[in-house]
Amino acid sequence: MLRQDSLGTPKPGLTSLADPALNQETPPHLLRESLTPTALFFVRNNGTLPDLPRDTGLDWQLEVTGLVRRPLSLSLAELRARFPVVEVTAVLECAGNGRSAFAPSVPGLAWGNGAVGCARWTGVRLADVLAQAGVAPGAVYVAHESPDHVVGAPGQPALSRGLPIEKALAPETLLAFGMNGAPLDPLHGFPLRVVAPGYPGSAWQKWLTRLVVRDREHDGAKMTGLDYRMPRHPVRPGETPDPAQFEVIADMPVKSLITEPAADFTASGPLLISGFAWSGAIPLDRVEVSTDGGASWQPAALEAADGPWAWRRFTAFALLPGPGEVELMARATDIAGNTQPLEPVWNPRGYLNNAVHRIRGRVV
Ligand SMILES: Nc1nc2c(c(=O)[nH]1)N[C@H]1C(S)=C(S)[C@@H](COP(=O)(O)O)O[C@H]1N2
Ligand SMILES: [Mo]
Protein backbone atom coordinates (compact mmCIF):
# COMPACT_ATOMS: atom_id res chain seq x y z
CA MET A 1 0.00 0.00 0.00
CA LEU A 2 1.17 3.45 -0.84
CA ARG A 3 0.92 5.76 2.14
CA GLN A 4 -0.68 8.74 0.39
CA ASP A 5 -1.29 10.51 3.59
CA SER A 6 -3.75 11.74 3.22
CA LEU A 7 -5.30 14.45 1.25
CA GLY A 8 -4.17 13.86 -2.31
CA THR A 9 -2.27 16.05 -4.74
CA PRO A 10 -4.21 19.04 -6.08
CA LYS A 11 -4.64 19.29 -9.85
CA PRO A 12 -3.08 22.30 -11.53
CA GLY A 13 -5.48 24.74 -13.20
CA LEU A 14 -8.50 23.94 -11.06
CA THR A 15 -9.90 26.22 -8.37
CA SER A 16 -9.31 24.94 -4.81
CA LEU A 17 -11.99 25.45 -2.20
CA ALA A 18 -11.33 26.40 1.42
CA ASP A 19 -11.75 23.10 3.29
CA PRO A 20 -9.58 20.69 5.31
CA ALA A 21 -10.08 18.08 2.54
CA LEU A 22 -9.07 18.38 -1.12
CA ASN A 23 -11.88 19.95 -3.13
CA GLN A 24 -11.37 21.54 -6.52
CA GLU A 25 -13.72 22.79 -9.21
CA THR A 26 -13.25 23.40 -12.92
CA PRO A 27 -13.60 26.93 -14.29
CA PRO A 28 -16.51 26.63 -16.76
CA HIS A 29 -14.46 27.84 -19.73
CA LEU A 30 -12.21 24.77 -19.30
CA LEU A 31 -15.18 22.40 -19.68
CA ARG A 32 -15.17 22.62 -23.45
CA GLU A 33 -14.88 18.96 -24.32
CA SER A 34 -17.69 16.43 -24.56
CA LEU A 35 -15.64 14.12 -22.36
CA THR A 36 -14.06 16.13 -19.58
CA PRO A 37 -10.36 15.19 -19.46
CA THR A 38 -9.57 13.55 -16.13
CA ALA A 39 -6.90 16.21 -15.47
CA LEU A 40 -9.66 18.85 -15.52
CA PHE A 41 -12.36 16.88 -13.71
CA PHE A 42 -13.55 18.40 -10.41
CA VAL A 43 -12.64 16.64 -7.15
CA ARG A 44 -14.92 16.35 -4.14
CA ASN A 45 -13.48 14.67 -1.05
CA ASN A 46 -15.33 14.69 2.24
CA GLY A 47 -12.19 13.51 4.03
CA THR A 48 -8.81 11.93 3.47
CA LEU A 49 -7.57 10.03 0.49
CA PRO A 50 -7.28 6.44 1.81
CA ASP A 51 -4.16 4.28 1.51
CA LEU A 52 -4.31 2.93 -2.01
CA PRO A 53 -2.59 0.09 -3.84
CA ARG A 54 0.56 1.09 -5.66
CA ASP A 55 -0.01 -1.48 -8.42
CA THR A 56 -2.94 -2.27 -10.73
CA GLY A 57 -5.33 -2.56 -7.80
CA LEU A 58 -6.53 -5.97 -8.99
CA ASP A 59 -6.27 -7.35 -5.45
CA TRP A 60 -8.64 -4.69 -4.07
CA GLN A 61 -11.41 -6.51 -2.21
CA LEU A 62 -15.11 -5.81 -2.37
CA GLU A 63 -17.47 -7.37 0.11
CA VAL A 64 -21.20 -7.74 -0.60
CA THR A 65 -23.21 -8.46 2.50
CA GLY A 66 -26.43 -7.70 4.39
CA LEU A 67 -29.74 -8.93 2.99
CA VAL A 68 -28.26 -11.33 0.45
CA ARG A 69 -28.47 -15.10 0.14
CA ARG A 70 -24.78 -15.54 -0.69
CA PRO A 71 -22.47 -12.92 0.80
CA LEU A 72 -19.58 -12.32 -1.58
CA SER A 73 -15.99 -11.30 -1.28
CA LEU A 74 -14.52 -10.50 -4.67
CA SER A 75 -11.24 -9.04 -5.80
CA LEU A 76 -11.27 -6.45 -8.56
CA ALA A 77 -9.67 -9.11 -10.81
CA GLU A 78 -12.61 -11.46 -10.08
CA LEU A 79 -15.16 -8.71 -10.69
CA ARG A 80 -13.65 -7.99 -14.09
CA ALA A 81 -13.47 -11.68 -15.01
CA ARG A 82 -16.89 -12.80 -13.82
CA PHE A 83 -19.20 -10.11 -15.11
CA PRO A 84 -19.68 -8.44 -18.47
CA VAL A 85 -17.62 -5.25 -18.73
CA VAL A 86 -19.72 -2.30 -19.93
CA GLU A 87 -19.30 1.42 -20.52
CA VAL A 88 -21.51 4.41 -19.87
CA THR A 89 -20.89 8.07 -20.64
CA ALA A 90 -22.39 10.03 -17.78
CA VAL A 91 -22.39 13.41 -16.13
CA LEU A 92 -21.14 13.51 -12.54
CA GLU A 93 -22.33 16.56 -10.63
CA CYS A 94 -22.10 17.39 -6.95
CA ALA A 95 -25.52 18.13 -5.42
CA GLY A 96 -23.95 21.26 -3.93
CA ASN A 97 -22.72 22.62 -7.26
CA GLY A 98 -23.66 26.32 -7.47
CA ARG A 99 -24.10 26.65 -3.69
CA SER A 100 -22.21 29.96 -3.50
CA ALA A 101 -25.07 31.68 -5.36
CA PHE A 102 -27.65 31.16 -2.61
CA ALA A 103 -28.73 34.25 -0.72
CA PRO A 104 -28.77 34.28 2.23
CA SER A 105 -25.71 32.04 2.19
CA VAL A 106 -25.92 28.46 3.44
CA PRO A 107 -23.44 26.14 5.18
CA GLY A 108 -21.39 23.75 3.03
CA LEU A 109 -18.66 24.01 0.41
CA ALA A 110 -19.05 27.26 -1.53
CA TRP A 111 -18.98 25.82 -5.04
CA GLY A 112 -19.19 28.07 -8.07
CA ASN A 113 -20.57 26.34 -11.16
CA GLY A 114 -17.73 23.91 -11.83
CA ALA A 115 -18.46 20.87 -9.65
CA VAL A 116 -19.56 18.95 -12.73
CA GLY A 117 -18.00 16.96 -15.57
CA CYS A 118 -18.85 14.22 -18.04
CA ALA A 119 -16.72 11.11 -18.47
CA ARG A 120 -16.83 7.64 -19.97
CA TRP A 121 -16.95 5.12 -17.17
CA THR A 122 -16.00 1.44 -17.52
CA GLY A 123 -17.08 -1.25 -15.09
CA VAL A 124 -19.52 -4.02 -14.33
CA ARG A 125 -23.21 -3.63 -13.61
CA LEU A 126 -24.02 -3.46 -9.93
CA ALA A 127 -27.19 -5.43 -10.82
CA ASP A 128 -25.07 -8.36 -12.07
CA VAL A 129 -23.07 -8.44 -8.83
CA LEU A 130 -26.24 -8.22 -6.73
CA ALA A 131 -27.81 -11.03 -8.78
CA GLN A 132 -24.86 -13.26 -7.97
CA ALA A 133 -25.22 -12.40 -4.27
CA GLY A 134 -28.99 -13.00 -4.47
CA VAL A 135 -30.91 -10.05 -3.07
CA ALA A 136 -33.24 -11.30 -0.33
CA PRO A 137 -36.87 -10.20 0.06
CA GLY A 138 -37.31 -6.98 1.99
CA ALA A 139 -34.24 -5.28 0.46
CA VAL A 140 -34.86 -1.58 -0.17
CA TYR A 141 -31.43 0.08 -0.08
CA VAL A 142 -27.76 -0.61 -0.77
CA ALA A 143 -25.19 1.10 1.49
CA HIS A 144 -21.67 1.96 0.29
CA GLU A 145 -18.55 1.88 2.48
CA SER A 146 -15.00 3.10 1.92
CA PRO A 147 -11.85 3.53 4.02
CA ASP A 148 -11.57 7.34 3.77
CA HIS A 149 -12.17 9.23 7.00
CA VAL A 150 -12.82 12.70 8.30
CA VAL A 151 -9.58 14.75 8.24
CA GLY A 152 -8.02 14.46 11.69
CA ALA A 153 -10.51 11.81 12.89
CA PRO A 154 -9.25 8.35 11.78
CA GLY A 155 -12.20 6.47 13.30
CA GLN A 156 -14.84 8.51 11.55
CA PRO A 157 -15.92 7.54 8.02
CA ALA A 158 -15.95 10.56 5.71
CA LEU A 159 -18.98 9.49 3.72
CA SER A 160 -21.12 6.39 3.50
CA ARG A 161 -24.05 6.89 1.23
CA GLY A 162 -26.06 4.45 -0.86
CA LEU A 163 -28.77 3.87 -3.42
CA PRO A 164 -32.41 2.82 -3.36
CA ILE A 165 -32.52 -0.81 -4.53
CA GLU A 166 -34.29 0.18 -7.79
CA LYS A 167 -31.39 2.45 -8.77
CA ALA A 168 -28.82 -0.12 -7.61
CA LEU A 169 -30.47 -2.65 -9.97
CA ALA A 170 -30.84 -0.22 -12.89
CA PRO A 171 -28.73 -1.16 -15.93
CA GLU A 172 -26.83 2.16 -15.97
CA THR A 173 -25.51 1.78 -12.42
CA LEU A 174 -21.96 0.44 -12.40
CA LEU A 175 -19.11 -0.57 -10.18
CA ALA A 176 -16.48 1.22 -12.23
CA PHE A 177 -12.74 0.76 -12.48
CA GLY A 178 -12.13 2.88 -15.59
CA MET A 179 -12.56 6.55 -16.48
CA ASN A 180 -12.02 7.97 -19.95
CA GLY A 181 -10.25 4.82 -21.13
CA ALA A 182 -7.73 4.61 -18.28
CA PRO A 183 -7.82 3.04 -14.82
CA LEU A 184 -9.57 5.31 -12.33
CA ASP A 185 -7.38 8.09 -10.98
CA PRO A 186 -6.72 7.92 -7.20
CA LEU A 187 -8.63 11.18 -6.72
CA HIS A 188 -11.63 9.70 -8.53
CA GLY A 189 -11.89 6.48 -6.57
CA PHE A 190 -9.18 4.09 -7.81
CA PRO A 191 -9.45 1.12 -7.77
CA LEU A 192 -13.27 0.93 -7.62
CA ARG A 193 -16.17 3.36 -7.38
CA VAL A 194 -19.92 3.49 -7.84
CA VAL A 195 -21.25 5.19 -10.98
CA ALA A 196 -24.91 6.16 -10.58
CA PRO A 197 -25.83 8.19 -13.70
CA GLY A 198 -28.43 10.87 -13.08
CA TYR A 199 -27.93 10.72 -9.31
CA PRO A 200 -25.96 13.28 -7.27
CA GLY A 201 -22.20 12.78 -6.99
CA SER A 202 -22.53 11.80 -3.33
CA ALA A 203 -24.09 8.50 -4.45
CA TRP A 204 -20.99 7.73 -6.54
CA GLN A 205 -18.95 6.26 -3.68
CA LYS A 206 -15.20 6.22 -4.32
CA TRP A 207 -12.66 3.64 -3.04
CA LEU A 208 -15.50 1.18 -2.54
CA THR A 209 -14.80 -1.75 -0.22
CA ARG A 210 -18.22 -2.88 0.97
CA LEU A 211 -21.85 -2.97 -0.13
CA VAL A 212 -24.51 -3.72 2.44
CA VAL A 213 -28.03 -4.56 1.30
CA ARG A 214 -30.54 -3.18 3.81
CA ASP A 215 -34.23 -3.34 4.66
CA ARG A 216 -34.37 0.44 5.22
CA GLU A 217 -32.79 3.64 4.00
CA HIS A 218 -29.10 3.89 4.86
CA ASP A 219 -28.01 5.89 7.93
CA GLY A 220 -24.26 6.20 7.26
CA ALA A 221 -22.05 9.29 7.36
CA LYS A 222 -23.84 12.18 5.63
CA MET A 223 -27.05 10.18 5.08
CA THR A 224 -29.06 11.59 7.98
CA GLY A 225 -30.51 14.92 9.12
CA LEU A 226 -30.49 17.47 6.32
CA ASP A 227 -27.44 16.04 4.50
CA TYR A 228 -28.07 15.65 0.76
CA ARG A 229 -31.78 16.17 1.34
CA MET A 230 -34.27 18.60 -0.13
CA PRO A 231 -37.40 19.89 1.59
CA ARG A 232 -40.66 18.56 0.12
CA HIS A 233 -42.15 22.02 0.55
CA PRO A 234 -40.29 25.33 0.34
CA VAL A 235 -38.48 26.38 3.54
CA ARG A 236 -37.89 30.09 4.08
CA PRO A 237 -34.53 31.40 5.31
CA GLY A 238 -34.64 31.65 9.11
CA GLU A 239 -37.35 29.01 9.50
CA THR A 240 -36.38 25.97 11.64
CA PRO A 241 -36.37 23.06 9.19
CA ASP A 242 -38.08 19.80 10.16
CA PRO A 243 -35.90 16.89 8.91
CA ALA A 244 -39.04 14.71 8.61
CA GLN A 245 -40.14 17.01 5.78
CA PHE A 246 -36.95 16.37 3.79
CA GLU A 247 -36.09 13.58 1.38
CA VAL A 248 -32.86 12.16 -0.01
CA ILE A 249 -31.90 13.66 -3.35
CA ALA A 250 -32.40 11.17 -6.19
CA ASP A 251 -32.54 12.29 -9.84
CA MET A 252 -30.70 15.52 -10.62
CA PRO A 253 -32.56 18.43 -12.27
CA VAL A 254 -32.20 19.84 -15.78
CA LYS A 255 -29.25 22.23 -16.15
CA SER A 256 -26.83 23.88 -18.54
CA LEU A 257 -23.47 25.61 -18.46
CA ILE A 258 -22.01 28.16 -20.85
CA THR A 259 -18.41 27.19 -21.59
CA GLU A 260 -17.79 29.70 -24.36
CA PRO A 261 -17.27 32.63 -24.24
CA ALA A 262 -15.49 32.85 -20.90
CA ALA A 263 -16.56 35.35 -18.24
CA ASP A 264 -15.39 38.92 -18.89
CA PHE A 265 -15.26 38.40 -22.64
CA THR A 266 -15.03 41.25 -25.11
CA ALA A 267 -16.95 40.87 -28.38
CA SER A 268 -17.57 43.10 -31.33
CA GLY A 269 -19.92 41.27 -33.69
CA PRO A 270 -22.25 38.26 -33.62
CA LEU A 271 -21.06 35.75 -31.04
CA LEU A 272 -20.98 31.98 -30.82
CA ILE A 273 -22.40 30.90 -27.45
CA SER A 274 -21.84 27.27 -26.56
CA GLY A 275 -21.80 24.91 -23.65
CA PHE A 276 -23.41 21.75 -22.35
CA ALA A 277 -26.85 20.79 -21.10
CA TRP A 278 -27.88 17.73 -19.11
CA SER A 279 -30.57 16.34 -16.84
CA GLY A 280 -31.07 13.38 -14.48
CA ALA A 281 -33.74 10.86 -15.38
CA ILE A 282 -35.88 13.02 -17.67
CA PRO A 283 -34.40 13.58 -21.13
CA LEU A 284 -33.52 17.04 -22.37
CA ASP A 285 -35.86 18.79 -24.73
CA ARG A 286 -34.23 22.09 -25.66
CA VAL A 287 -31.79 24.86 -24.79
CA GLU A 288 -32.33 28.57 -25.37
CA VAL A 289 -30.00 31.52 -24.95
CA SER A 290 -30.66 35.15 -24.09
CA THR A 291 -28.48 38.23 -24.51
CA ASP A 292 -30.97 40.72 -23.03
CA GLY A 293 -31.39 39.62 -19.41
CA GLY A 294 -34.05 37.03 -20.21
CA ALA A 295 -36.47 39.37 -22.02
CA SER A 296 -36.14 37.26 -25.17
CA TRP A 297 -34.78 33.80 -25.88
CA GLN A 298 -33.49 32.18 -29.05
CA PRO A 299 -33.19 28.44 -29.62
CA ALA A 300 -29.75 26.83 -29.52
CA ALA A 301 -28.78 23.82 -31.63
CA LEU A 302 -28.38 20.65 -29.55
CA GLU A 303 -25.91 17.96 -30.58
CA ALA A 304 -26.83 14.28 -30.30
CA ALA A 305 -26.04 12.69 -26.96
CA ASP A 306 -23.50 9.93 -26.37
CA GLY A 307 -26.26 7.88 -24.68
CA PRO A 308 -28.97 8.95 -22.26
CA TRP A 309 -26.66 10.01 -19.39
CA ALA A 310 -24.16 12.18 -21.25
CA TRP A 311 -24.35 15.92 -21.53
CA ARG A 312 -25.12 17.48 -24.92
CA ARG A 313 -23.34 20.36 -26.52
CA PHE A 314 -25.47 23.38 -27.44
CA THR A 315 -24.47 26.17 -29.77
CA ALA A 316 -26.16 29.41 -30.77
CA PHE A 317 -25.01 32.28 -32.91
CA ALA A 318 -26.29 35.44 -31.27
CA LEU A 319 -26.49 39.06 -32.31
CA LEU A 320 -25.40 41.22 -29.41
CA PRO A 321 -26.98 44.44 -28.24
CA GLY A 322 -24.45 47.09 -27.59
CA PRO A 323 -22.04 48.59 -27.22
CA GLY A 324 -21.72 48.20 -23.45
CA GLU A 325 -22.10 45.53 -20.78
CA VAL A 326 -23.94 42.40 -21.79
CA GLU A 327 -25.09 39.30 -19.91
CA LEU A 328 -25.47 35.97 -21.70
CA MET A 329 -27.77 33.31 -20.31
CA ALA A 330 -28.52 29.69 -21.20
CA ARG A 331 -31.66 27.85 -20.17
CA ALA A 332 -32.36 24.14 -20.65
CA THR A 333 -35.77 22.45 -20.49
CA ASP A 334 -36.51 18.72 -20.17
CA ILE A 335 -39.26 16.83 -22.00
CA ALA A 336 -41.53 17.02 -18.95
CA GLY A 337 -41.39 20.81 -19.24
CA ASN A 338 -39.13 21.41 -16.22
CA THR A 339 -37.00 24.41 -17.00
CA GLN A 340 -34.12 26.20 -15.29
CA PRO A 341 -35.26 29.03 -13.01
CA LEU A 342 -33.77 32.50 -13.47
CA GLU A 343 -32.78 32.64 -9.78
CA PRO A 344 -31.69 29.85 -7.38
CA VAL A 345 -34.49 28.27 -5.36
CA TRP A 346 -33.24 28.64 -1.78
CA ASN A 347 -33.04 25.62 0.54
CA PRO A 348 -31.29 25.24 3.93
CA ARG A 349 -28.24 23.31 2.72
CA GLY A 350 -27.91 24.83 -0.71
CA TYR A 351 -28.48 21.83 -2.96
CA LEU A 352 -29.61 21.54 -6.59
CA ASN A 353 -29.04 25.10 -7.72
CA ASN A 354 -30.01 24.78 -11.35
CA ALA A 355 -30.58 28.48 -12.03
CA VAL A 356 -29.61 29.67 -15.50
CA HIS A 357 -25.90 30.22 -15.99
CA ARG A 358 -24.95 33.85 -16.66
CA ILE A 359 -21.77 35.12 -18.32
CA ARG A 360 -21.02 38.83 -18.31
CA GLY A 361 -18.89 40.60 -20.88
CA ARG A 362 -18.56 43.74 -23.01
CA VAL A 363 -19.65 44.60 -26.49
CA VAL A 364 -17.33 47.11 -28.17
N1 LIG B 1 -15.47 7.48 -0.47
C1 LIG B 1 -15.94 8.67 -0.90
N2 LIG B 1 -16.67 8.72 -2.03
C2 LIG B 1 -17.14 9.90 -2.47
C3 LIG B 1 -16.93 11.09 -1.75
C4 LIG B 1 -16.14 11.02 -0.57
O1 LIG B 1 -15.88 12.01 0.10
N3 LIG B 1 -15.67 9.79 -0.18
N4 LIG B 1 -17.49 12.27 -2.20
C5 LIG B 1 -18.69 12.11 -3.01
C6 LIG B 1 -19.18 13.36 -3.58
S1 LIG B 1 -20.04 14.36 -2.52
C7 LIG B 1 -19.06 13.64 -4.91
S2 LIG B 1 -19.75 15.02 -5.57
C8 LIG B 1 -18.30 12.74 -5.81
C9 LIG B 1 -17.22 13.50 -6.55
O2 LIG B 1 -16.52 12.66 -7.40
P1 LIG B 1 -15.11 13.08 -7.99
O3 LIG B 1 -14.25 13.52 -6.86
O4 LIG B 1 -14.62 11.89 -8.72
O5 LIG B 1 -15.37 14.23 -8.94
O6 LIG B 1 -17.68 11.67 -5.12
C10 LIG B 1 -18.49 11.09 -4.12
N5 LIG B 1 -17.86 9.90 -3.62
MO1 LIG C 1 -20.99 16.03 -3.74
Side-chain angles (χ1 to χ4, degrees), residues 13 33 40 67 97 144 148 152 254 257 271 317 322:
E33 289 165 73
L40 293 177
L67 273 182
N97 193 23
H144 310 149
D148 55 330
V254 65
L257 190 69
L271 183 68
F317 209 54

Side-chain angles (χ1 to χ4, degrees), residues 69-268:
R69 295 200 187 82
R70 297 172 291 275
L72 303 175
S73 184
L74 296 164
S75 67
L76 176 55
E78 288 168 325
L79 265 185
R80 294 176 64 144
R82 287 198 198 162
F83 304 100
V85 172
V86 295
E87 290 202 317
V88 63
T89 300
V91 170
L92 163 53
E93 182 179 17
C94 181
N97 193 23
R99 180 180 285 122
S100 62
F102 286 103
S105 64
V106 287
L109 278 185
W111 295 110
N113 296 302
V116 63
C118 182
R120 183 165 292 143
W121 309 95
T122 308
V124 298
R125 288 193 190 91
L126 176 51
D128 290 345
V129 177
L130 290 175
Q132 172 136 356
V135 173
V140 304
Y141 222 83
V142 178
H144 310 149
E145 294 177 15
S146 313
D148 55 330
H149 58 78
V150 172
V151 176
Q156 224 174 299
L159 181 97
S160 174
R161 294 194 54 84
L163 290 169
I165 192 79
E166 302 76 35
K167 186 68 179 177
L169 294 174
E172 68 273 11
T173 301
L174 307 186
L175 300 180
F177 41 78
M179 177 180 184
N180 291 334
L184 282 176
D185 182 277
L187 291 178
H188 296 294
F190 169 82
L192 190 65
R193 83 175 302 169
V194 174
V195 162
Y199 264 48
S202 53
W204 299 46
Q205 191 90 17
K206 303 193 274 191
W207 315 298
L208 183 72
T209 50
R210 200 158 177 257
L211 294 169
V212 187
V213 181
R214 295 169 56 97
D215 64 358
R216 64 198 70 180
E217 195 172 88
H218 186 35
D219 53 9
K222 304 226 169 174
M223 273 294 310
T224 56
L226 302 186
D227 285 339
Y228 298 104
R229 280 170 201 254
M230 285 288 281
R232 284 193 199 92
H233 312 291
V235 174
R236 280 186 303 276
E239 231 176 275
T240 304
D242 171 9
Q245 294 305 317
F246 282 60
E247 52 192 49
V248 178
I249 297 167
D251 301 306
M252 295 291 279
V254 65
K255 199 161 170 183
S256 63
L257 190 69
I258 297 170
T259 59
E260 196 177 348
D264 301 320
F265 68 92
T266 304
S268 52

